[in-house]
Amino acid sequence: MLLQNATSPQLIGIRESYGSKDDAIRALIKKLADAGKLHSEEQFYEAVIAREKLSATGLEGGLAIPHGKSEAVKEAAFAIATVEHPLTDWESMKPDHKVELIVLLAIPKDQAGKGHLSLLSELMKRLSKPDYKNRLMHATSSVELYASLDAPKEVETAAVPEQATGKTVIAVTACPAGIAHTYMSAEALIKAGKELGVDVFVEKQGANGIEDRHTPELLRKADAVIFAVDVAVKEEARFGHLPKVKTSVAAPLRDATGILTQALDKAAATPKKEYAGNAAFSGDFADEAEGDSKRFKTELKDSILTGISHIIPIIVAGGMTLAAAVLISQSFGLQEIYNANNSWLWLIRQLGGTLLGTLMVPILAAYMAYSIADKPALGPGFAAGVAANLIGSGFLGGMLGGLLAGYVLKYMKQKIKPKGTFAGFVSFWVYPVVGTFIVGGIMLFVVGQPLAAINQGLIEWLKGLSGANALILGAIVGAMVSFDLGGPVNKAAYTFCIGAMASGNFIPYAAFASVKMVSTFSVTGATLLGQKYFTAQEREVGKQTWLLGLAGITEGAIPFMINDPLRVIPSLIAGSAVTGAIVAYSGVGLSVPGAGIFSLALLQGPGVFAAAAIWLGAAIVGALISMVLLIVTRKSKLAKQGPLM
């Protein structure tokens, strides 16, 4: 398999000098653009940065593998650079990691070229071998490095234990992009298995789908399973009979031996169950008496975020379809056609309305349930959402119904095992049908009226917001957005705003979207106007954060928050609270999820231009407040500690 087919000497840089991680990414993206691999540099840059936020791409041994999937990529390719002065600002597995070799992968979003993806997967496997990686790092020219990509494989000299243990551990690795970490993590586990005398087999669930799928014979033979994943495991029920260790996809890169040892210890303490062939397993993967509280909180958070992530396309599609129908009717004087039953414009209006009013809540509930109890929970989850619509409990009822369906099905899977002749009957009839009756009955006849009353009360409260109440709500939303810049508090604010949007009130989300720009704008302003109070690295980072703010990405301010949280967090919260209060008080709304400057054309409220001016102006006012506070607090800190070196 020739890696050279996916790159060229033109895409390779030797001993390059970069001021920061962002400089390196942009430089490699430019190489790809100059080579004709991209439709848009900026669009692909946004995809790479979005992937960077999911988990660290700095790996051990001086290696970093940023990557992104995007429609901006014409064909799968990769660019490589060795670094003259190691980069220290790259988020990595270890805090003191310095990046010396960068490989930037560009993947078409439609993944049409599976052959290319196989090439890139092969690159990940080879880079996990120190000899191969070192050969690339020490190349003296782009041509030499290019030639080294497909040089003859070297014989591995890894130490082999004197005696094999006779144990077999299987694993699944998967990362959000399904490229770099998926394969590097797999190689780390296999290498650790050789050193411990354990047979390790890894199934990669990556960009190519499921690779090296575990066979029934291997599933029967295995003593334990390791899930090194940052996304849901596909067909997880296959592993229900095995003791399990679950960790992040990056963890084996730090301590594969420790994770493997943990799996063997769990296998010794909890023997595996009988493998039942292709029958559907219960999916009872509870880790006995080990961090139950933490698992529940994580499961709850993952469930909510999974549900919301699945309804966002529905909200966007429905909102934009409705907006298009309204725009057409108003622009061309077609109000009569807009209101006439079964007319073409009326049908477009109904399409958007159905997406928002009928499908959104059932999809939310179904995928929340799916996150907790897998496929058997989809039917009861949809039923819970339909019930929520029937009783008028809306978004709130959908969320509760999704959790109810998930945990009811999880309990059923634990108590009713699909074994023997009736395994298929239990999985495909008992779970969905009985689960639907239980969940639907509880939703319709037990919690229905109280939920509907609470939801209606929330809607009326949101509709009645004005004056001081609107100011308070906007300030709270603003403070939550910038409290942890994309963390749990920020996500809680996001969930509330999406819920309000689903109930027909678009003001909270408009405040949320405006506040998303405050933190990054203020950091840029502070490092420009108060240069002498900030380090060279902080000033360099500050130059870029305003661009992230335009896209509604708050994470650009995180380095400042981490370095000085007691001063930075209150400074950001103050400006953000003011921004949120201004937007909410002014009655500006936003009916389509999104953030950043791109929301300007979608705003609702006191006239299109007035709404845009208020919304953007509020963000600028808040940023100015936070900027001043950042400079003042930094100046005060330096007065106590001494000037910058």
Side-chain angles (χ1 to χ4, degrees):
M1 184 173 292
L2 296 177
L3 297 178
Q4 294 169 346
N5 292 342
T7 190
S8 67
Q10 181 185 357
L11 293 172
I12 298 172
I14 301 296
R15 296 179 181 173
E16 302 282 358
S17 293
Y18 303 117
S20 66
K21 163 188 167 181
D22 193 72
D23 288 346
I25 290 175
R26 286 190 177 276
L28 290 176
I29 289 176
K30 189 173 190 314
K31 285 183 180 292
L32 289 165
D34 292 343
K37 304 296 183 182
L38 305 177
H39 295 291
S40 166
E41 286 186 50
E42 195 60 33
Q43 188 177 346
F44 180 59
Y45 171 78
E46 291 174 3
V48 174
I49 294 302
R51 171 61 189 84
E52 287 293 306
K53 294 194 301 180
L54 296 176
S55 61
T57 56
L59 308 176
E60 290 188 354
L63 179 64
I65 309 181
H67 46 282
K69 293 180 189 176
S70 173
E71 294 175 353
V73 180
K74 295 180 181 179
E75 59 177 309
F78 60 89
I80 306 177
T82 59
V83 181
E84 178 72 21
H85 304 291
L87 297 172
T88 59
D89 66 336
W90 209 297
E91 295 82 2
S92 305
M93 304 300 137
K94 295 183 178 180
D96 58 349
H97 182 246
K98 297 179 180 180
V99 170
E100 299 176 273
L101 175 64
I102 306 169
V103 182
L104 174 64
L105 308 181
I107 313 296
K109 193 161 189 177
D110 58 10
Q111 301 182 15
K114 286 224 166 188
H116 285 113
L117 289 173
S118 297
L119 280 172
L120 299 177
S121 301
E122 179 66 20
L123 173 62
M124 296 306 99
K125 296 174 186 177
R126 296 187 192 181
L127 282 170
S128 67
K129 297 176 172 58
D131 290 342
Y132 181 85
K133 181 186 64 181
N134 289 334
R135 189 164 68 238
L136 300 187
M137 291 176 68
H138 293 98
T140 57
S141 69
S142 59
V143 174
E144 180 184 340
L145 195 153
Y146 179 74
S148 298
L149 288 171
D150 292 312
K153 293 184 179 180
E154 299 176 4
V155 179
E156 295 189 34
T157 58
V160 178
E162 295 182 3
Q163 185 175 359
T165 63
K167 298 292 183 180
T168 299
V169 174
I170 58 177
V172 174
T173 59
C175 65
I179 306 169
H181 288 77
T182 299
Y183 299 96
M184 303 291 283
S185 183
E187 291 296 322
L189 288 169
I190 292 172
K191 181 180 178 182
K194 291 178 180 178
E195 294 173 353
L196 294 176
V198 178
D199 292 328
V200 177
F201 300 89
V202 185
E203 175 178 295
K204 279 77 71 177
Q205 298 186 358
N208 273 330
I210 297 180
E211 296 181 61
D212 301 322
R213 175 187 286 272
H214 294 311
T215 63
E217 293 76 13
L218 193 54
L219 288 166
R220 186 178 293 108
K221 178 184 178 183
D223 297 292
V225 62
I226 296 171
F227 292 155
V229 298
D230 285 340
V231 295
V233 175
K234 298 174 183 176
E235 302 176 23
E236 186 173 348
R238 293 175 291 155
F239 310 98
H241 62 300
L242 294 172
K244 179 203 72 171
V245 170
K246 190 168 187 178
T247 186
S248 69
V249 70
L253 300 176
R254 295 189 295 266
D255 186 18
T257 301
I259 294 170
L260 198 52
T261 301
Q262 185 182 351
L264 294 172
D265 291 343
K266 182 160 283 191
T270 310
K272 64 181 179 181
K273 301 173 184 177
E274 181 181 355
Y275 175 63
N278 293 324
F281 285 97
S282 69
D284 179 12
F285 295 119
D287 295 336
E288 299 81 358
E290 181 179 68
D292 292 324
S293 175
K294 180 179 179 181
R295 282 201 315 279
F296 174 75
K297 292 177 183 177
T298 301
E299 188 172 60
L300 194 63
K301 180 192 75 173
D302 290 348
S303 173
I304 293 172
L305 293 180
T306 298
I308 289 175
S309 71
H310 280 83
I311 65 168
I312 286 176
I314 305 301
I315 296 174
V316 173
M320 293 304 296
T321 303
L322 273 177
V326 172
L327 182 63
I328 291 171
S329 68
Q330 293 180 351
S331 300
F332 300 99
L334 302 176
Q335 283 82 0
E336 290 187 9
I337 298 177
Y338 179 82
N339 293 316
N341 286 352
N342 296 317
S343 69
W344 65 272
L345 198 52
W346 182 89
L347 290 172
I348 293 176
R349 169 189 171 190
Q350 293 302 309
L351 175 63
T354 301
L355 286 170
L356 289 174
T358 303
L359 288 182
M360 184 179 66
V361 172
I363 288 173
L364 169 72
Y367 282 97
M368 286 181 65
Y370 172 80
S371 176
I372 295 170
D374 214 339
K375 288 183 182 179
L378 278 174
F382 276 111
V386 171
N389 282 342
L390 291 173
I391 61 181
S393 61
F395 190 84
L396 183 64
M399 290 182 69
L400 182 62
L403 293 173
L404 178 64
Y407 284 110
V408 165
L409 264 293
K410 186 175 183 179
Y411 180 80
M412 289 178 63
K413 289 166 69 179
Q414 291 173 348
K415 299 300 179 182
I416 307 173
K417 306 291 186 181
K419 296 181 179 179
T421 305
F422 294 100
F425 176 75
V426 170
S427 296
F428 299 107
W429 196 93
V430 174
Y431 288 160
V433 175
V434 176
T436 294
F437 274 112
I438 294 173
V439 173
I442 294 174
M443 288 291 295
L444 291 171
F445 305 116
V446 179
V447 301
Q449 292 305 317
L451 272 179
I454 293 172
N455 186 64
Q456 190 60 37
L458 177 62
I459 293 173
E460 294 301 324
W461 177 68
L462 288 171
K463 286 181 179 178
L465 281 178
S466 61
N469 289 334
L471 282 171
I472 293 171
L473 175 66
I476 292 173
V477 169
M480 293 177 70
V481 170
S482 293
F483 179 78
D484 54 1
L485 302 178
V489 177
N490 177 291
K491 290 295 189 292
Y494 177 75
T495 302
F496 170 79
C497 294
I498 287 290
M501 180 187 293
S503 299
N505 189 287
F506 308 131
I507 293 175
Y509 195 88
F512 177 89
S514 182
V515 171
K516 293 273 279 183
M517 296 184 286
V518 170
S519 58
T520 51
F521 284 5
S522 64
V523 164
T524 294
T527 54
L528 287 177
L529 297 181
Q531 291 188 31
K532 62 182 179 180
Y533 302 119
F534 297 91
T535 65
Q537 184 177 4
E538 287 174 329
R539 293 196 298 269
E540 191 64 32
V541 173
K543 292 178 183 178
Q544 313 296 330
T545 56
W546 71 277
L547 288 171
L548 298 177
L550 288 177
I553 300 172
T554 63
E555 284 78 359
I558 286 179
F560 292 82
M561 176 184 288
I562 292 174
N563 291 335
D564 194 9
L566 294 180
R567 293 175 177 82
V568 172
I569 292 175
S571 299
L572 297 182
I573 286 177
S576 299
V578 171
T579 295
I582 292 173
V583 175
Y585 182 81
S586 303
V588 176
L590 181 60
S591 61
V592 178
I597 204 71
F598 310 107
S599 301
L600 277 173
L602 305 171
L603 294 169
Q604 302 175 0
V608 175
F609 294 107
I614 292 169
W615 184 82
L616 183 57
I620 294 173
V621 169
L624 288 172
I625 293 171
S626 292
M627 178 191 73
V628 171
L629 291 174
L630 286 171
I631 294 174
V632 170
T633 54
R634 176 57 69 92
K635 183 178 179 181
S636 174
K637 176 184 177 181
L638 294 177
K640 295 177 181 179
Q641 297 181 355
L644 291 171
M645 298 301 292

